Amino acid sequence: MAIVYQKSKGLTDLEMHYCPGCTHGVIHKLVAEALVDLNLLEHTIGVAPVGCSVFAYNYFNCDMHEAAHGRAPAVATGIKRVLPQNTVFTYQGDGDLAAIGTAEIIHAAMRGEHFTTIFVNNAIYGMTGGQMAPTTLVGQKATTAPHGRDRAHYGQPLHMAEIMATIGGAAYSTRVTVVDMPHMMKARTAIRKAFQMQMEGKGFTFVEVLSTCPTNWGMTPVEALGWVKDTMINEFPLGVFKDADSKEGS
Amino acid sequence: MASRVTFSQDRCKGCGLCITVCPKHIIFLDKTKTNKRGYHPATVVEMAACIGCANCARMCPDSVIMVERNIEED
Protein backbone atom coordinates (compact mmCIF):
# COMPACT_ATOMS: atom_id res chain seq x y z
CA MET A 1 0.00 0.00 0.00
CA ALA A 2 1.39 3.35 -1.01
CA ILE A 3 0.14 6.57 0.51
CA VAL A 4 -1.59 8.63 -2.18
CA TYR A 5 -2.73 11.44 0.08
CA GLN A 6 -1.98 12.56 3.63
CA LYS A 7 -1.79 15.83 5.53
CA SER A 8 0.75 18.15 3.91
CA LYS A 9 4.12 18.74 5.54
CA GLY A 10 3.44 22.40 4.87
CA LEU A 11 0.91 22.37 7.71
CA THR A 12 1.59 21.88 11.40
CA ASP A 13 -0.08 19.05 13.26
CA LEU A 14 -2.30 21.45 15.21
CA GLU A 15 -6.07 21.03 14.98
CA MET A 16 -7.62 24.01 13.21
CA HIS A 17 -10.13 26.14 15.11
CA TYR A 18 -12.34 26.77 12.07
CA CYS A 19 -16.04 25.86 12.19
CA PRO A 20 -17.05 22.49 10.68
CA GLY A 21 -17.08 22.66 6.89
CA CYS A 22 -15.34 26.05 6.65
CA THR A 23 -13.26 26.01 3.48
CA HIS A 24 -10.43 27.99 5.11
CA GLY A 25 -8.94 24.57 5.87
CA VAL A 26 -9.06 23.54 2.21
CA ILE A 27 -7.39 26.79 1.11
CA HIS A 28 -4.71 26.39 3.79
CA LYS A 29 -3.96 22.94 2.35
CA LEU A 30 -3.67 24.23 -1.22
CA VAL A 31 -1.23 26.96 -0.16
CA ALA A 32 0.82 24.53 1.97
CA GLU A 33 0.93 21.89 -0.78
CA ALA A 34 2.03 24.47 -3.35
CA LEU A 35 4.89 25.63 -1.13
CA VAL A 36 6.01 22.04 -0.52
CA ASP A 37 5.74 20.96 -4.17
CA LEU A 38 7.58 24.04 -5.44
CA ASN A 39 10.25 23.42 -2.80
CA LEU A 40 9.71 26.88 -1.32
CA LEU A 41 8.49 26.01 2.19
CA GLU A 42 11.88 26.40 3.91
CA HIS A 43 12.26 29.89 2.49
CA THR A 44 8.73 31.17 2.92
CA ILE A 45 7.43 33.85 5.24
CA GLY A 46 3.67 34.23 5.51
CA VAL A 47 1.75 37.13 6.98
CA ALA A 48 -1.45 36.34 8.88
CA PRO A 49 -4.38 38.76 9.03
CA VAL A 50 -7.01 39.67 11.58
CA GLY A 51 -10.26 37.77 11.15
CA CYS A 52 -11.17 34.09 11.29
CA SER A 53 -7.75 33.18 9.91
CA VAL A 54 -5.90 35.21 12.58
CA PHE A 55 -4.34 31.99 13.88
CA ALA A 56 -3.05 30.99 10.44
CA TYR A 57 0.45 31.47 11.85
CA ASN A 58 -0.15 28.38 13.99
CA TYR A 59 -1.13 26.24 11.01
CA PHE A 60 1.39 26.96 8.25
CA ASN A 61 4.65 25.11 8.77
CA CYS A 62 6.82 28.04 7.66
CA ASP A 63 7.88 31.31 9.25
CA MET A 64 4.85 33.48 9.90
CA HIS A 65 4.25 37.05 11.00
CA GLU A 66 1.04 38.53 12.38
CA ALA A 67 -0.04 41.94 11.14
CA ALA A 68 -2.40 44.61 12.46
CA HIS A 69 -5.88 44.52 10.92
CA GLY A 70 -5.63 45.07 7.16
CA ARG A 71 -1.92 45.81 7.27
CA ALA A 72 -0.60 42.45 6.08
CA PRO A 73 0.46 43.92 2.67
CA ALA A 74 2.53 46.60 4.42
CA VAL A 75 4.24 44.01 6.62
CA ALA A 76 4.80 41.72 3.62
CA THR A 77 6.28 44.66 1.69
CA GLY A 78 8.85 45.20 4.43
CA ILE A 79 9.73 41.51 4.69
CA LYS A 80 10.05 41.01 0.92
CA ARG A 81 12.17 44.13 0.43
CA VAL A 82 14.60 43.03 3.15
CA LEU A 83 14.58 39.37 2.08
CA PRO A 84 13.95 39.45 -1.67
CA GLN A 85 15.15 35.87 -2.17
CA ASN A 86 12.42 34.51 0.13
CA THR A 87 8.85 33.68 -0.83
CA VAL A 88 6.41 36.00 0.93
CA PHE A 89 2.63 35.74 1.04
CA THR A 90 -0.28 37.32 2.84
CA TYR A 91 -3.40 35.34 3.71
CA GLN A 92 -6.33 37.70 4.19
CA GLY A 93 -10.10 37.60 4.50
CA ASP A 94 -12.59 40.04 3.04
CA GLY A 95 -12.93 42.08 6.24
CA ASP A 96 -9.17 42.44 6.41
CA LEU A 97 -8.42 43.04 2.73
CA ALA A 98 -11.59 44.55 1.26
CA ALA A 99 -12.62 46.74 4.20
CA ILE A 100 -10.08 48.04 6.70
CA GLY A 101 -7.08 47.16 4.51
CA THR A 102 -8.30 48.25 1.07
CA ALA A 103 -5.77 51.07 0.76
CA GLU A 104 -2.92 48.79 1.81
CA ILE A 105 -3.58 46.14 -0.81
CA ILE A 106 -4.20 48.61 -3.64
CA HIS A 107 -0.98 50.48 -2.94
CA ALA A 108 1.02 47.27 -2.56
CA ALA A 109 -0.23 46.28 -6.02
CA MET A 110 0.48 49.77 -7.37
CA ARG A 111 4.08 49.51 -6.21
CA GLY A 112 4.28 46.06 -7.79
CA GLU A 113 5.52 44.46 -4.58
CA HIS A 114 6.87 40.99 -5.24
CA PHE A 115 4.66 39.01 -2.88
CA THR A 116 1.54 36.88 -3.25
CA THR A 117 -1.81 37.58 -1.66
CA ILE A 118 -4.33 34.82 -1.00
CA PHE A 119 -7.65 36.61 -0.57
CA VAL A 120 -10.40 34.52 1.03
CA ASN A 121 -13.82 35.95 0.18
CA ASN A 122 -16.82 34.52 2.03
CA ALA A 123 -19.06 37.58 1.61
CA ILE A 124 -19.48 38.16 5.34
CA TYR A 125 -17.58 39.05 8.52
CA GLY A 126 -17.12 35.62 10.06
CA MET A 127 -15.13 36.12 13.24
CA THR A 128 -17.20 38.99 14.62
CA GLY A 129 -20.52 37.25 14.12
CA GLY A 130 -21.85 37.59 10.60
CA GLN A 131 -22.00 41.33 9.96
CA MET A 132 -22.32 42.71 6.43
CA ALA A 133 -19.01 43.00 4.58
CA PRO A 134 -18.12 45.09 1.50
CA THR A 135 -18.35 41.78 -0.37
CA THR A 136 -21.84 40.84 0.90
CA LEU A 137 -24.21 40.20 -1.99
CA VAL A 138 -27.19 42.47 -2.61
CA GLY A 139 -30.12 40.80 -0.85
CA GLN A 140 -27.89 38.59 1.31
CA LYS A 141 -28.83 38.63 4.99
CA ALA A 142 -26.30 39.58 7.66
CA THR A 143 -26.69 40.53 11.32
CA THR A 144 -26.31 44.20 10.35
CA ALA A 145 -28.59 43.77 7.31
CA PRO A 146 -31.38 41.56 8.67
CA HIS A 147 -33.58 42.15 5.62
CA GLY A 148 -30.70 41.60 3.20
CA ARG A 149 -28.19 44.07 1.76
CA ASP A 150 -30.08 47.01 0.29
CA ARG A 151 -28.39 48.33 -2.85
CA ALA A 152 -29.75 51.86 -2.45
CA HIS A 153 -28.53 52.13 1.12
CA TYR A 154 -25.36 50.03 1.26
CA GLY A 155 -24.19 49.86 -2.35
CA GLN A 156 -22.93 46.80 -4.18
CA PRO A 157 -20.19 44.26 -3.43
CA LEU A 158 -16.54 45.05 -4.16
CA HIS A 159 -14.89 42.89 -6.82
CA MET A 160 -11.30 42.80 -5.64
CA ALA A 161 -9.83 40.51 -8.32
CA GLU A 162 -11.14 42.82 -11.06
CA ILE A 163 -9.87 45.91 -9.20
CA MET A 164 -6.39 44.38 -8.86
CA ALA A 165 -6.33 43.62 -12.59
CA THR A 166 -6.58 47.35 -13.37
CA ILE A 167 -3.40 48.14 -11.42
CA GLY A 168 -0.14 48.29 -13.37
CA GLY A 169 2.07 46.63 -10.76
CA ALA A 170 -0.12 43.55 -10.51
CA ALA A 171 1.20 40.67 -12.62
CA TYR A 172 -1.52 38.13 -11.92
CA SER A 173 -5.07 38.44 -10.66
CA THR A 174 -7.55 35.58 -10.63
CA ARG A 175 -10.68 34.37 -8.87
CA VAL A 176 -11.15 30.68 -8.04
CA THR A 177 -13.13 28.55 -5.60
CA VAL A 178 -12.77 25.20 -3.85
CA VAL A 179 -16.37 23.95 -3.65
CA ASP A 180 -15.84 20.80 -5.73
CA MET A 181 -12.97 18.85 -7.26
CA PRO A 182 -12.76 20.54 -10.71
CA HIS A 183 -12.82 24.01 -9.13
CA MET A 184 -10.33 22.95 -6.50
CA MET A 185 -7.87 21.74 -9.13
CA LYS A 186 -8.10 25.14 -10.86
CA ALA A 187 -7.52 26.87 -7.51
CA ARG A 188 -4.50 24.63 -6.94
CA THR A 189 -3.04 25.61 -10.31
CA ALA A 190 -3.71 29.32 -9.71
CA ILE A 191 -1.99 29.35 -6.32
CA ARG A 192 1.06 27.54 -7.75
CA LYS A 193 1.25 29.95 -10.65
CA ALA A 194 1.08 32.94 -8.28
CA PHE A 195 4.02 31.66 -6.24
CA GLN A 196 5.99 30.80 -9.38
CA MET A 197 5.44 34.26 -10.85
CA GLN A 198 6.53 35.83 -7.57
CA MET A 199 9.79 33.87 -7.61
CA GLU A 200 10.34 34.85 -11.25
CA GLY A 201 10.08 38.51 -10.18
CA LYS A 202 7.04 39.22 -12.33
CA GLY A 203 5.36 41.48 -9.76
CA PHE A 204 2.41 41.41 -7.40
CA THR A 205 0.24 38.28 -7.59
CA PHE A 206 -3.32 38.02 -6.29
CA VAL A 207 -5.55 34.96 -5.92
CA GLU A 208 -9.11 35.50 -4.71
CA VAL A 209 -10.74 32.31 -3.41
CA LEU A 210 -14.51 32.17 -2.91
CA SER A 211 -15.03 30.48 0.43
CA THR A 212 -17.93 29.42 2.62
CA CYS A 213 -19.21 30.53 6.01
CA PRO A 214 -21.83 27.91 6.95
CA THR A 215 -22.13 29.26 10.50
CA ASN A 216 -22.95 32.85 9.62
CA TRP A 217 -24.81 32.07 6.40
CA GLY A 218 -27.09 29.85 8.51
CA MET A 219 -26.56 26.79 6.32
CA THR A 220 -25.13 23.30 6.65
CA PRO A 221 -21.59 22.97 5.21
CA VAL A 222 -22.96 21.11 2.19
CA GLU A 223 -25.69 23.73 1.58
CA ALA A 224 -23.01 26.42 1.79
CA LEU A 225 -21.03 24.76 -1.04
CA GLY A 226 -24.21 24.82 -3.11
CA TRP A 227 -24.80 28.51 -2.35
CA VAL A 228 -21.33 29.39 -3.64
CA LYS A 229 -21.99 27.44 -6.86
CA ASP A 230 -25.55 28.65 -7.45
CA THR A 231 -25.45 32.23 -6.18
CA MET A 232 -22.05 33.60 -5.24
CA ILE A 233 -20.34 32.69 -8.52
CA ASN A 234 -22.98 34.73 -10.40
CA GLU A 235 -21.93 37.85 -8.50
CA PHE A 236 -18.22 37.02 -8.42
CA PRO A 237 -17.36 35.39 -11.76
CA LEU A 238 -14.41 33.00 -11.75
CA GLY A 239 -11.52 33.49 -14.11
CA VAL A 240 -8.16 35.11 -14.77
CA PHE A 241 -8.43 38.90 -14.91
CA LYS A 242 -4.78 39.62 -15.51
CA ASP A 243 -1.82 37.45 -16.43
CA ALA A 244 1.48 39.10 -17.33
CA ASP A 245 2.72 35.75 -18.69
CA SER A 246 0.05 35.42 -21.34
CA LYS A 247 0.47 39.07 -22.37
CA GLU A 248 4.13 38.39 -23.06
CA GLY A 249 3.20 35.35 -25.08
CA SER A 250 0.69 37.14 -27.31
CA MET B 1 -8.13 -4.67 -1.14
CA ALA B 2 -6.97 -2.10 -3.64
CA SER B 3 -7.37 1.01 -1.54
CA ARG B 4 -7.77 2.07 2.05
CA VAL B 5 -9.06 5.30 3.59
CA THR B 6 -8.13 6.09 7.19
CA PHE B 7 -9.96 8.77 9.17
CA SER B 8 -8.47 10.40 12.27
CA GLN B 9 -11.94 10.24 13.74
CA ASP B 10 -11.19 12.27 16.87
CA ARG B 11 -10.28 15.24 14.64
CA CYS B 12 -13.32 14.97 12.35
CA LYS B 13 -15.89 17.77 12.69
CA GLY B 14 -18.62 15.85 10.86
CA CYS B 15 -19.06 18.54 8.20
CA GLY B 16 -19.75 15.98 5.48
CA LEU B 17 -17.77 17.70 2.70
CA CYS B 18 -15.95 14.42 1.99
CA ILE B 19 -19.31 12.77 1.30
CA THR B 20 -20.09 15.29 -1.48
CA VAL B 21 -16.97 14.44 -3.51
CA CYS B 22 -16.85 10.63 -3.17
CA PRO B 23 -17.58 9.17 -6.63
CA LYS B 24 -18.48 5.81 -5.10
CA HIS B 25 -20.81 7.22 -2.39
CA ILE B 26 -19.29 4.99 0.28
CA ILE B 27 -18.62 7.64 2.95
CA PHE B 28 -21.18 8.39 5.66
CA LEU B 29 -21.30 9.97 9.11
CA ASP B 30 -21.27 7.29 11.78
CA LYS B 31 -24.29 8.19 13.93
CA THR B 32 -23.46 5.38 16.35
CA LYS B 33 -20.25 7.15 17.35
CA THR B 34 -19.59 10.53 18.95
CA ASN B 35 -15.99 11.70 19.00
CA LYS B 36 -14.29 13.70 21.74
CA ARG B 37 -15.34 16.96 20.07
CA GLY B 38 -18.98 15.86 20.04
CA TYR B 39 -19.33 15.17 16.32
CA HIS B 40 -20.41 12.08 14.43
CA PRO B 41 -17.21 11.23 12.53
CA ALA B 42 -17.01 10.26 8.87
CA THR B 43 -16.33 6.66 7.98
CA VAL B 44 -16.36 4.32 4.98
CA VAL B 45 -18.98 1.57 4.81
CA GLU B 46 -17.71 -0.53 1.98
CA MET B 47 -13.93 -0.20 1.81
CA ALA B 48 -13.65 -2.76 -1.01
CA ALA B 49 -15.46 -0.31 -3.32
CA CYS B 50 -12.89 2.45 -2.70
CA ILE B 51 -10.89 3.40 -5.79
CA GLY B 52 -8.32 5.46 -3.88
CA CYS B 53 -8.99 8.68 -5.81
CA ALA B 54 -8.32 10.75 -2.64
CA ASN B 55 -11.07 13.25 -3.45
CA CYS B 56 -12.33 12.94 0.14
CA ALA B 57 -8.89 13.65 1.56
CA ARG B 58 -8.33 16.66 -0.69
CA MET B 59 -11.73 18.08 0.26
CA CYS B 60 -11.40 17.58 4.02
CA PRO B 61 -10.80 21.03 5.58
CA ASP B 62 -9.27 19.45 8.67
CA SER B 63 -6.93 17.02 6.90
CA VAL B 64 -8.21 14.04 8.87
CA ILE B 65 -8.13 11.60 5.94
CA MET B 66 -5.24 9.51 4.67
CA VAL B 67 -5.62 7.48 1.49
CA GLU B 68 -3.53 4.47 0.51
CA ARG B 69 -3.63 2.54 -2.73
CA ASN B 70 -2.10 -0.76 -3.76
CA ILE B 71 -0.15 0.47 -6.76
CA GLU B 72 0.69 -3.04 -8.00
CA GLU B 73 -2.97 -3.85 -8.55
CA ASP B 74 -3.51 -0.76 -10.74
Side-chain angles (χ1 to χ4, degrees), chain A:
Chain A
M1 286 280 200
I3 293 171
V4 285
Y5 194 92
Q6 63 180 342
K7 188 170 185 176
S8 170
K9 288 182 172 57
L11 293 172
T12 64
D13 201 36
L14 219 66
E15 287 183 43
M16 292 183 182
H17 73 283
Y18 301 115
C19 301
C22 172
T23 46
H24 258 310
V26 183
I27 302 163
H28 278 38
K29 291 202 305 188
L30 293 180
V31 172
E33 286 163 13
L35 292 173
V36 170
D37 292 350
L38 296 171
N39 209 15
L40 297 172
L41 188 70
E42 293 293 314
H43 311 285
T44 297
I45 304 159
V47 184
V50 171
C52 286
S53 50
V54 64
F55 296 128
Y57 53 78
N58 284 329
Y59 305 139
F60 287 110
N61 203 5
C62 60
D63 287 331
M64 293 293 291
H65 198 302
E66 178 56 52
H69 203 356
R71 273 64 197 171
V75 174
T77 297
I79 295 172
K80 184 70 182 185
R81 287 192 175 202
V82 173
L83 300 167
Q85 75 284 4
N86 288 54
T87 309
V88 178
F89 74 94
T90 71
Y91 187 101
Q92 302 177 261
D94 46 350
D96 196 73
L97 185 141
I100 195 168
T102 317
E104 305 281 334
I105 195 68
I106 284 178
H107 283 259
M110 180 203 72
R111 297 189 304 268
E113 298 293 346
H114 295 275
F115 66 84
T116 298
T117 289
I118 309 297
F119 169 46
V120 180
N121 177 4
N122 63 3
I124 207 158
Y125 290 156
M127 184 188 72
T128 49
Q131 291 84 1
M132 183 173 58
T135 45
T136 297
L137 274 57
V138 171
Q140 182 189 343
K141 287 182 181 170
T143 52
T144 47
H147 303 295
R149 183 176 184 160
D150 174 9
R151 188 193 308 261
H153 200 72
Y154 299 113
Q156 296 171 55
L158 269 183
H159 293 70
M160 291 310 297
E162 287 90 331
I163 291 171
M164 289 300 139
T166 66
I167 301 173
Y172 184 55
S173 180
T174 184
R175 183 182 291 115
V176 293
T177 188
V178 292
V179 292
D180 55 27
M181 297 317 292
H183 284 111
M184 194 195 295
M185 288 303 122
K186 283 184 186 162
R188 182 174 180 265
T189 309
I191 290 169
R192 274 155 209 252
K193 184 175 169 67
F195 282 125
Q196 271 169 337
M197 288 180 79
Q198 175 189 158
M199 297 322 286
E200 289 163 6
K202 297 271 171 63
F204 177 73
T205 47
F206 185 88
V207 181
E208 174 172 345
V209 189
L210 299 184
S211 184
T212 61
C213 185
T215 301
N216 288 305
W217 291 354
M219 299 177 192
T220 67
V222 176
E223 285 167 356
L225 295 183
W227 193 76
V228 171
K229 275 194 267 193
D230 300 337
T231 309
M232 206 171 160
I233 284 178
N234 296 334
E235 175 64 38
F236 295 107
L238 306 179
V240 179
F241 300 99
K242 188 170 188 183
D243 184 351
D245 277 351
S246 67
K247 204 182 282 177
E248 281 168 10
S250 64

Side-chain angles (χ1 to χ4, degrees), chain B:
Chain B
M1 190 191 295
S3 303
R4 185 168 57 207
V5 186
T6 314
F7 297 85
S8 304
Q9 288 197 324
D10 266 345
R11 289 188 159 208
C12 176
K13 294 176 184 165
C15 69
L17 297 196
C18 51
I19 298 170
T20 67
V21 293
C22 177
K24 292 290 177 184
H25 310 291
I26 54 173
I27 308 175
F28 79 117
L29 298 181
D30 189 351
K31 302 279 185 191
T32 64
K33 266 191 204 165
T34 304
N35 68 10
K36 67 176 183 185
R37 309 178 68 118
Y39 299 115
H40 297 308
T43 189
V44 162
V45 231
E46 201 187 337
M47 197 66 84
C50 178
I51 56 170
C53 68
N55 277 4
C56 55
R58 289 181 192 281
M59 194 63 178
C60 176
D62 293 284
S63 307
V64 307
I65 307 174
M66 183 174 78
V67 181
E68 293 163 288
R69 189 163 57 198
N70 199 338
I71 305 293
E72 286 165 22
E73 283 185 26
D74 278 357

